[in-house]
Amino acid sequence: MDYSFTNFQKNAVIRFLALDKYNYIKDNLYKCDISNDTEFQTRFNAFYRVRRNDCWRKVFYDYFESIKNRKNVTFEEIVGYMYKKTGNIEASFCSKLLSTINPDMPIWDQYVLSNLNLEVKGKTKEEKLKDTIVVYNKIIEIENNKLKQKDIQQAIKDFKEYFPEYNLSDIKILDYILWNSR
């Protein structure tokens, strides 16, 4: 066993960021029927902290399975579908579904929003739904601009060199950076 501090640090970061849990999701997405695979659902729920009732999860995972092979699916489509089916604006979970299908799409998270100084406005649910789509597009724009910054590029390069076995997209690494900057 390697008891070096470097190995200790690497393993601590792997556990803190739950990289193995994310890898499981990424590696098993196309190997199972998400709508019926309780192992996949349990791991996705744990990784992304999905705490919704059985009815909501049934809608979510049935839809997830039905669109997982569509690379051109959009956030607007996903959030609109979930709103129509559940009556809730589920920006965070919808973005995580999208990001799982397309790792080049960013996630919506309270810490990401805070770090990017973004918030949803609107008085009615319909206004909030429209603004949610606008805000997500701003996340995409801001994160794509951040990917051009030298310090972000260096951080991503360093991450990939330190954790080559995880093969994460630049956006996923940036999401981890933004999530961790609290």
Side-chain angles (χ1 to χ4, degrees), residues 10 18 33-34 70 73 85 161 176:
K10 184 172 184 173
D33 178 345
I34 294 169
R70 288 187 42 220
V73 68
K85 292 293 186 179
E161 286 175 4
Y176 271 125

mmCIF file of all heavy atoms in Angstrom, residues 10 18 33-34 70 73 85 161 176:
data_model
loop_
_atom_site.group_PDB
_atom_site.id
_atom_site.type_symbol
_atom_site.label_atom_id
_atom_site.label_comp_id
_atom_site.label_asym_id
_atom_site.label_seq_id
_atom_site.Cartn_x
_atom_site.Cartn_y
_atom_site.Cartn_z
ATOM 1 N N LYS A 10 -4.548 12.488 -3.166
ATOM 2 C CA LYS A 10 -5.279 12.082 -4.371
ATOM 3 C C LYS A 10 -6.532 11.304 -3.982
ATOM 4 O O LYS A 10 -7.623 11.575 -4.484
ATOM 5 C CB LYS A 10 -4.389 11.257 -5.293
ATOM 6 C CG LYS A 10 -5.064 10.891 -6.592
ATOM 7 C CD LYS A 10 -4.106 10.242 -7.576
ATOM 8 C CE LYS A 10 -4.831 9.987 -8.884
ATOM 9 N NZ LYS A 10 -3.951 9.508 -9.930
ATOM 10 N N ALA A 18 -16.316 12.488 -5.246
ATOM 11 C CA ALA A 18 -17.082 11.285 -5.613
ATOM 12 C C ALA A 18 -16.825 10.899 -7.067
ATOM 13 O O ALA A 18 -17.750 10.559 -7.813
ATOM 14 C CB ALA A 18 -18.564 11.482 -5.334
ATOM 15 N N ASP A 33 -31.162 -0.240 -18.681
ATOM 16 C CA ASP A 33 -32.419 0.472 -18.894
ATOM 17 C C ASP A 33 -32.632 1.315 -17.638
ATOM 18 O O ASP A 33 -33.031 0.794 -16.602
ATOM 19 C CB ASP A 33 -33.558 -0.521 -19.096
ATOM 20 C CG ASP A 33 -34.916 0.155 -19.275
ATOM 21 O OD1 ASP A 33 -35.059 1.357 -18.965
ATOM 22 O OD2 ASP A 33 -35.849 -0.533 -19.718
ATOM 23 N N ILE A 34 -32.341 2.582 -17.746
ATOM 24 C CA ILE A 34 -32.398 3.484 -16.597
ATOM 25 C C ILE A 34 -33.766 3.464 -15.930
ATOM 26 O O ILE A 34 -33.871 3.587 -14.713
ATOM 27 C CB ILE A 34 -32.038 4.921 -17.035
ATOM 28 C CG1 ILE A 34 -30.589 4.980 -17.483
ATOM 29 C CG2 ILE A 34 -32.296 5.922 -15.930
ATOM 30 C CD1 ILE A 34 -30.222 6.266 -18.183
ATOM 31 N N ARG A 70 -30.238 10.596 -27.404
ATOM 32 C CA ARG A 70 -30.382 11.803 -28.223
ATOM 33 C C ARG A 70 -29.338 12.837 -27.817
ATOM 34 O O ARG A 70 -29.469 13.485 -26.802
ATOM 35 C CB ARG A 70 -31.783 12.386 -28.052
ATOM 36 C CG ARG A 70 -32.854 11.545 -28.720
ATOM 37 C CD ARG A 70 -34.212 12.202 -28.695
ATOM 38 N NE ARG A 70 -34.138 13.621 -28.984
ATOM 39 C CZ ARG A 70 -34.871 14.530 -28.337
ATOM 40 N NH1 ARG A 70 -35.713 14.185 -27.391
ATOM 41 N NH2 ARG A 70 -34.765 15.803 -28.652
ATOM 42 N N VAL A 73 -30.653 16.658 -27.517
ATOM 43 C CA VAL A 73 -31.688 17.061 -26.566
ATOM 44 C C VAL A 73 -31.240 18.338 -25.858
ATOM 45 O O VAL A 73 -30.055 18.540 -25.615
ATOM 46 C CB VAL A 73 -32.009 15.915 -25.570
ATOM 47 C CG1 VAL A 73 -30.848 15.638 -24.647
ATOM 48 C CG2 VAL A 73 -33.280 16.200 -24.800
ATOM 49 N N LYS A 85 -45.023 17.489 -16.660
ATOM 50 C CA LYS A 85 -45.393 16.227 -16.013
ATOM 51 C C LYS A 85 -45.513 16.328 -14.493
ATOM 52 O O LYS A 85 -46.272 15.580 -13.884
ATOM 53 C CB LYS A 85 -44.382 15.129 -16.356
ATOM 54 C CG LYS A 85 -44.424 14.711 -17.806
ATOM 55 C CD LYS A 85 -45.727 14.021 -18.115
ATOM 56 C CE LYS A 85 -45.760 13.448 -19.504
ATOM 57 N NZ LYS A 85 -47.004 12.766 -19.805
ATOM 58 N N GLU A 161 -4.135 15.773 -15.719
ATOM 59 C CA GLU A 161 -2.858 15.094 -15.512
ATOM 60 C C GLU A 161 -2.864 14.309 -14.197
ATOM 61 O O GLU A 161 -2.284 13.236 -14.112
ATOM 62 C CB GLU A 161 -1.712 16.111 -15.517
ATOM 63 C CG GLU A 161 -1.382 16.628 -16.897
ATOM 64 C CD GLU A 161 -0.322 17.727 -16.891
ATOM 65 O OE1 GLU A 161 0.229 18.054 -15.813
ATOM 66 O OE2 GLU A 161 -0.063 18.271 -17.984
ATOM 67 N N TYR A 176 -16.936 21.166 -11.296
ATOM 68 C CA TYR A 176 -16.349 20.765 -10.007
ATOM 69 C C TYR A 176 -15.643 21.957 -9.350
ATOM 70 O O TYR A 176 -15.760 22.172 -8.150
ATOM 71 C CB TYR A 176 -15.343 19.620 -10.190
ATOM 72 C CG TYR A 176 -15.923 18.233 -10.107
ATOM 73 C CD1 TYR A 176 -15.729 17.319 -11.139
ATOM 74 C CD2 TYR A 176 -16.639 17.803 -8.985
ATOM 75 C CE1 TYR A 176 -16.234 16.030 -11.059
ATOM 76 C CE2 TYR A 176 -17.143 16.521 -8.903
ATOM 77 C CZ TYR A 176 -16.941 15.638 -9.944
ATOM 78 O OH TYR A 176 -17.437 14.366 -9.852
#
